[in-house]
Amino acid sequence: MIPNIFNIQHFSTHDGPGIRTTIFFKGCPLRCAWCHNPESQLFTPEIMVDENGVREAVGREYSVDELIEDVTADEMIYDQSGGGVTLSGGEVLSQDRGFILELVRRLADREISIGIDTCGVAPTRMVEDICDDADFFLYDLKFISNALHKQHTGGSNHLVLRNLEVLSRRQARIVLRLIMLPGINMDKDTIERTMLWLRTHDIAIEQIDLLPYHTYGMNKYAKLGREVEYFEVPQEDELAGVKTQIERFYDNVTIGG
Ligand code: SF4
């Protein structure tokens, strides 16, 4: 199936080094309760309707040629800033394998840096196939507890942990991203357990980003006619406490990424 794309963001500075173009693929195997891009979850196009009845189509098919033409318009900016292209979503590694591998190969042939933003729920073969051409991975680890992962994302974390081990063994550059949800996964025991798992499995990580839960984008649920669940927003001192705890294990920890 040809992937649907719901956004192409030029001049992005939050999805890896330098100035980048981020391609947002539509479709994700998870249903995180806090997802601030609910329009990214279904693999098919949708319509969002605002309170004034204005309709907005979300998602359309692009060919690989179209994407290459779009993102290479900024090639000079990537060169000057040390940037490139980040493939995000939704979940890019759940998309059509042939399409994604062709896109990645053509970007790599032009020596454009490729970042992969992933929740880790993807076929291991896809992760392996893309590993050599990708420059770095922004890798979400939402819950080390499988029970919590299932409860809050709707899916198991088995593939997340396995694929993280695969990437680490293959010496991929990994930026690990931890969503911070007060009362759910920020307590000392959970953080300790997560760090011990990473250490026991010898996971090499370049940087850990703590991503505080926020409520931006939640109005999109209403536009899609869906219910939204709200969580507590973490306080600065809570985030600082988690950062200090993690720094006993890894040097390079940021709040906010
Ligand atoms: S993995 Fe990301 S895109 Fe998918 S549901 Fe969770 S937050 Fe949303």
Side-chain angles (χ1 to χ4, degrees):
M1 186 173 120
I2 297 177
N4 284 287
I5 283 156
F6 69 96
N7 190 12
I8 299 177
Q9 192 175 335
H10 290 263
F11 309 113
S12 167
T13 53
H14 297 290
D15 300 312
I19 299 174
R20 315 188 70 83
T21 301
T22 305
I23 303 175
F24 291 89
F25 287 85
K26 190 161 164 29
C28 182
L30 296 184
R31 293 289 179 270
C32 304
W34 60 86
C35 182
H36 59 271
N37 283 328
E39 79 279 30
S40 74
Q41 293 177 347
L42 287 186
F43 284 81
T44 46
E46 287 173 274
I47 303 284
M48 290 206 292
V49 186
D50 74 11
E51 63 270 27
N52 301 315
V54 177
R55 294 161 67 86
E56 181 191 344
V58 184
R60 76 159 174 94
E61 292 180 354
Y62 280 74
S63 66
V64 174
D65 283 344
E66 262 182 295
L67 289 177
I68 293 289
E69 192 183 329
D70 190 306
V71 303
T72 53
D74 293 344
E75 222 166 347
M76 260 174 47
I77 296 171
Y78 308 148
D79 288 346
Q80 286 162 2
S81 68
V85 173
T86 298
L87 308 182
S88 183
E91 175 49 58
V92 56
L93 301 182
S94 288
Q95 303 289 339
D96 181 85
R97 185 167 170 274
F99 185 102
I100 298 300
L101 293 182
E102 186 189 342
L103 176 62
V104 164
R105 172 45 46 99
R106 285 177 61 182
L107 290 170
D109 284 347
R110 297 178 80 121
E111 298 186 354
I112 293 176
S113 154
I114 302 159
I116 304 292
D117 179 7
T118 178
C119 70
V121 181
T124 298
R125 187 169 158 227
M126 179 77 153
V127 173
E128 288 172 336
D129 283 346
I130 215 165
C131 188
D132 291 338
D133 284 328
D135 196 28
F136 64 89
F137 288 80
L138 306 176
Y139 200 100
D140 292 348
L141 176 55
K142 299 169 196 297
F143 301 99
I144 199 71
S145 148
N146 195 31
L148 282 182
H149 205 278
K150 283 184 177 164
Q151 182 185 342
H152 294 289
T153 75
S156 156
N157 70 2
H158 288 162
L159 273 174
V160 181
L161 299 178
R162 187 206 296 169
N163 289 334
L164 186 56
E165 280 190 82
V166 166
L167 286 176
S168 178
R169 270 205 308 275
R170 295 184 64 149
Q171 299 181 327
R173 292 174 58 202
I174 300 168
V175 175
L176 197 70
R177 299 187 135 185
L178 308 178
I179 176 82
M180 293 283 103
L181 298 157
I184 299 180
N185 67 359
M186 289 179 70
D187 59 283
K188 282 203 158 48
D189 282 356
T190 299
I191 299 296
E192 190 80 8
R193 216 177 130 197
T194 306
M195 292 303 119
L196 289 177
W197 186 91
L198 294 170
R199 181 178 271 183
T200 310
H201 292 80
D202 215 8
I203 307 293
I205 295 168
E206 198 168 288
Q207 180 174 315
I208 296 184
D209 293 342
L210 307 182
L211 303 183
Y213 165 74
H214 62 75
T215 55
Y216 312 129
M218 293 305 171
N219 61 337
K220 290 191 271 188
Y221 281 86
K223 291 183 183 176
L224 291 164
R226 289 173 49 182
E227 294 287 324
V228 59
E229 182 181 351
Y230 283 99
F231 294 84
E232 208 182 307
V233 175
Q235 302 299 309
E236 275 179 28
D237 60 333
E238 291 176 289
L239 292 163
V242 173
K243 182 172 186 287
T244 304
Q245 193 184 349
I246 293 179
E247 281 168 343
R248 289 184 13 236
F249 297 86
Y250 290 94
D251 291 338
N252 199 1
V253 187
T254 75
I255 296 174

